[in-house]
Amino acid sequence: MTTRRERANAIRALAMDGVQAANSGHPGMPMGMADIAEVLWGDFLHHNPSNPHWINRDRFVLSNGHGSMLQYALLHLSGYDLPISELKHFRQLNSRTPGHPEWHITPGIETTTGPLGQGLANSVGFALAEKLLAEQFNRPGHDIIDHHTYVFVGDGCLMEGISHEVASLAGTWKLGKLVAVYDDNGISIDGEVHEWFTDDTQKRFEAYGWNVVMGDDGKPVDGHDADAIKKALGRATSQNEKPSLVICKTIIGFGSPNKEGKEASHGAALGVDEIKLTREKLGWNYGPFEIPKEIYDAWDAKKAGGEAEKAWNDKFAAYEKAHPDLAADLKRRVAGELPANWQETAKAFVARMQSEGPAVASRKASQMSLDAFGPVLPELLGGSADLAPSNLTIWKGARSVTGPVGNYVHYGVREFGMSAIANGLALHGGFIPYDATFLTFSDYARNAVRMSALIPAHVIHVYTHDSIGLGEDGPTHQPVEHLGSLRLIPNNRVWRPADAVESAVAWKVAIERKVVTHDKHATGGPSCLVFSRQTLKHNARTDEQVANIEKGGYVLVEPDNFSEKNAKSAVIVATGSEVGLAVEAAASLNSNGYAVRVVSMPCTEAFDAQPVEYREGVLPSWCRARVAVEAASVDFWAKYVGLDGKTIGMTTYGASAPIEKLYEHFGITTTAVIDAVKSVVR
């Protein structure tokens, strides 16, 4: 019979050994939180190591992800497909134990937590997803969605500004099945945090509307007293009215004779000699990576997890019999499959936009797309950072999540928190989330957008007011470098449509960009849909041209005399509102003896992913007379126009003035495009 401390010491030993083998990592936090983790995983967490994807499992997130050996030890000991060989290769190339937890790499990892605080934000998304799915699918006598989200957080997580944004929302939304455990060890990389972190965390979270759990004496829970930890977690999970924060006082590097309680144990291996002394102090008489069978047996959660899932499967079978349509829809959504009528609906709407040819701002075209697609996509969960009337992200069937069975989230002015919560919503399953703000404010959200792409998560980030075309608000609100910045994020697809047709296609492909995992790899991910404030003209197209929009770039205007033999052949590449300028310029030039092709390129990433034959057909290498036009930073377009080409765009910040004055002032005009083409045709 093993003791709790022995089971916790197994975590400590694996953490010490893994970090030492890599000579890199953070042993202190896993050693300090081992007792808390043992109680949570042994007495509270409902999960099945044999099926990490069971929909009604509790979610566990390590927001202080630098202590990743804690989670790897827990997964290994409890029976997940994470053998000891992987722990021995901690932080090594192609291992399943990277430096910070990564969702598609390691079985049992719920989200990729790197930058501090975002794991907490993702957890708010998990808890919100659970609450909304329960509202949508549970019926009297059939509580099939009923699970908790547990998240470990450290001082760094709570210092990051994102923690304020998401904790405030969690309290407002009354996410009673969210339980955060705060590792109050008082140490960060620079030393003792009391010199730079003096917040009253208890009062802060109470002010947010959280249930803050302290010890019986009113002080933080002793993070090394299993009975006290169990009692505190019991208080947190016994109520569902408020999210809970359990504040635990721990000793970082617990058990290390010379380094516990010090920053020396935070971010570096303890050293062979110190590990030997720590083993002696803990009474751990086993070699590196050696775990005795009786401790493995005590940790093994496969039997209990299998029984818990089987009991749920039996409940679901009864639910399926009583509510077959709801059960089928839940299974479809959890699998990430789109409705049977999706393709028909999307194709019909795109065709309608091409037929009707509305001249509208692309943000309005976006709302029209939502009106068309929303009714057939119950999994679509929208939201905006206090800009819904400007972003036009509320569609006819939108209902606030503050009411029953809602599908639209009012995030308030919290762009970073909003985007990171959306990542959690996507990872939970059952939803395709979209969020929205002005393009210039994507700077506030950018790290969460980067995580969307890195995870990857099926999130749609909507950005409106996409250029100096927003007018009088001036340079603080006029994005210049933002399109290029977002395009630089690997696996992120940025769409800047030219009219209602391209807007509809952008929404279609973003909705379809499902994430699929392949062993350690994943495909799919986020999309950024970038829309205008100003009205955009409709562009006539053939059916073939409409079909080619999905490829990211296509020939929109083609003169009969465009050929390698014609010395006056040229290509204009444009996006968004500037496609209209390109079309006007080409019409003028072509009527005066030139042969100018116009390429609309709403998504450079999608275009770059096409076969070389297609790309060559759109941008032939023989035609070096190229001009790009986009009301954004000009530097991005060098890869498409080359050294011999020119780009019409922005080289400075914008200014406050009416739109027509701004385009003229900054030289983004039909005349400027014509002159640029003439200068490159030789």
Side-chain angles (χ1 to χ4, degrees), residues 66-123:
H66 55 272
S68 56
M69 272 304 302
L70 171 68
Q71 194 161 11
Y72 299 146
L74 289 164
L75 294 169
H76 169 72
L77 291 168
S78 59
Y80 284 79
D81 182 19
L82 192 68
I84 195 69
S85 59
E86 294 290 351
L87 276 67
K88 291 179 179 179
H89 289 91
F90 177 55
R91 289 189 167 217
Q92 304 308 300
L93 186 64
N94 294 323
S95 78
R96 289 186 178 272
T97 51
H100 290 78
E102 295 186 38
W103 169 72
H104 65 283
I105 297 291
T106 314
I109 298 296
E110 300 289 358
T111 182
T112 300
T113 53
L116 291 174
Q118 287 202 56
L120 174 60
N122 296 164
S123 299

Side-chain angles (χ1 to χ4, degrees), residues 165 385 387 412-420 436-437 441-442 444-445 448:
E165 296 183 23
L387 285 171
V413 188
R414 301 179 179 94
E415 295 87 357
F416 191 6
M418 169 184 71
S419 302
T437 186
F441 301 149
S442 65
Y444 283 135

Side-chain angles (χ1 to χ4, degrees), residues 410-612:
H410 295 278
Y411 287 100
V413 188
R414 301 179 179 94
E415 295 87 357
F416 191 6
M418 169 184 71
S419 302
I421 288 171
N423 289 339
L425 288 166
L427 289 168
H428 180 279
F431 291 103
I432 300 175
Y434 68 89
D435 53 41
T437 186
F438 288 171
L439 178 57
T440 192
F441 301 149
S442 65
D443 280 341
Y444 283 135
R446 192 179 189 280
N447 200 268
V449 177
R450 178 179 186 268
M451 295 307 294
S452 297
L454 175 63
I455 290 170
H458 188 188
V459 179
I460 302 170
H461 302 290
V462 177
Y463 300 121
T464 68
H465 295 59
D466 66 349
S467 69
I468 59 171
L470 68 87
E472 292 83 353
D473 272 339
T476 62
H477 283 49
Q478 292 167 1
V480 173
E481 74 278 20
H482 301 76
L483 284 168
S485 175
L486 292 171
R487 287 168 177 153
L488 287 174
I489 299 174
N491 195 43
N492 189 35
R493 293 213 166 171
V494 181
W495 289 83
R496 187 175 184 242
D499 60 11
V501 180
E502 289 189 5
S503 297
V505 172
W507 265 109
K508 176 182 180 292
V509 296
I511 288 167
E512 293 173 352
R513 199 168 183 238
K514 172 185 175 181
V515 173
V516 179
T517 58
H518 315 271
D519 189 29
K520 297 177 186 177
H521 305 285
T523 58
S527 301
C528 295
L529 307 187
V530 182
F531 299 118
S532 73
R533 177 178 182 265
Q534 71 270 34
T535 298
L536 305 182
K537 295 179 181 179
H538 171 70
N539 296 285
R541 299 176 182 83
T542 65
D543 290 344
E544 181 181 3
Q545 287 173 318
V546 172
N548 284 338
I549 294 172
E550 293 193 20
K551 297 177 181 178
Y554 65 100
V555 178
L556 178 63
V557 173
E558 179 78 325
D560 294 336
N561 57 342
F562 179 81
S563 73
E564 187 172 3
K565 295 179 180 179
N566 188 341
K568 288 196 172 184
S569 292
V571 176
I572 305 174
V573 184
T575 78
S577 50
E578 287 69 65
V579 169
L581 295 180
V583 171
E584 290 176 0
S588 176
L589 288 161
N590 291 339
S591 67
N592 286 281
Y594 288 83
V596 180
R597 167 185 286 185
V598 175
V599 171
S600 178
M601 195 176 288
C603 182
T604 61
E605 300 84 13
F607 179 75
D608 291 347
Q610 300 307 311
V612 65

Side-chain angles (χ1 to χ4, degrees), residues 65-296:
H66 55 272
S68 56
M69 272 304 302
L70 171 68
Q71 194 161 11
Y72 299 146
L74 289 164
L75 294 169
H76 169 72
L77 291 168
S78 59
Y80 284 79
D81 182 19
L82 192 68
I84 195 69
S85 59
E86 294 290 351
L87 276 67
K88 291 179 179 179
H89 289 91
F90 177 55
R91 289 189 167 217
Q92 304 308 300
L93 186 64
N94 294 323
S95 78
R96 289 186 178 272
T97 51
H100 290 78
E102 295 186 38
W103 169 72
H104 65 283
I105 297 291
T106 314
I109 298 296
E110 300 289 358
T111 182
T112 300
T113 53
L116 291 174
Q118 287 202 56
L120 174 60
N122 296 164
S123 299
V124 174
F126 284 128
L128 179 60
E130 191 276 343
K131 181 176 183 177
L132 295 178
L133 281 180
E135 289 179 358
Q136 293 176 16
F137 288 98
N138 288 357
R139 293 297 182 269
H142 298 281
D143 290 337
I144 55 162
I145 301 296
D146 182 14
H147 53 266
H148 282 79
T149 299
Y150 297 97
V151 55
F152 282 1
V153 300
D155 291 309
C157 297
L158 298 188
M159 281 188 263
E160 289 286 0
I162 193 173
S163 70
H164 296 263
E165 296 183 23
V166 301
S168 173
L169 284 168
T172 298
W173 294 335
K174 301 185 185 304
L175 300 181
K177 292 181 181 175
L178 173 62
V179 177
V181 179
Y182 169 34
D183 177 31
D184 182 15
N185 62 39
I187 297 293
S188 68
I189 291 175
D190 277 1
E192 298 181 7
V193 301
H194 65 79
E195 294 187 19
W196 51 83
F197 184 48
T198 59
D199 301 15
D200 188 325
T201 301
Q202 177 182 354
K203 290 181 180 178
R204 171 186 161 191
F205 276 78
E206 287 174 346
Y208 291 143
W210 285 54
N211 169 44
V212 179
V213 180
M214 306 290 281
D216 290 338
D217 58 0
K219 297 179 180 179
V221 178
D222 183 346
H224 304 293
D225 182 335
D227 290 338
I229 297 165
K230 184 175 181 179
K231 190 173 184 180
L233 288 172
R235 289 174 180 168
T237 56
S238 63
Q239 60 82 43
N240 290 327
E241 297 301 314
K242 298 179 178 180
S244 292
L245 179 71
V246 180
I247 300 180
C248 292
K249 193 66 180 176
T250 65
I251 300 173
I252 193 171
F254 181 91
S256 170
N258 298 303
K259 296 185 177 181
E260 71 172 12
K262 300 176 182 177
E263 62 268 26
S265 68
H266 188 293
L270 296 182
V272 174
D273 293 340
E274 186 66 16
I275 288 176
K276 180 180 179 181
L277 294 174
T278 304
R279 276 182 154 81
E280 292 173 358
K281 183 176 179 179
L282 294 175
W284 187 259
N285 302 312
Y286 309 101
F289 297 104
E290 181 183 352
I291 305 294
K293 182 179 183 302
E294 59 269 23
I295 289 183
Y296 271 127

Side-chain angles (χ1 to χ4, degrees), residues 311-338:
W312 183 85
N313 287 336
D314 291 341
K315 288 179 64 175
F316 188 80
Y319 174 78
E320 193 169 24
K321 185 176 181 180
H323 304 283
D325 291 343
L326 285 172
D329 199 43
L330 177 60
K331 288 196 290 186
R332 176 191 68 78
R333 287 172 57 173
V334 169
E337 302 296 336
L338 294 172

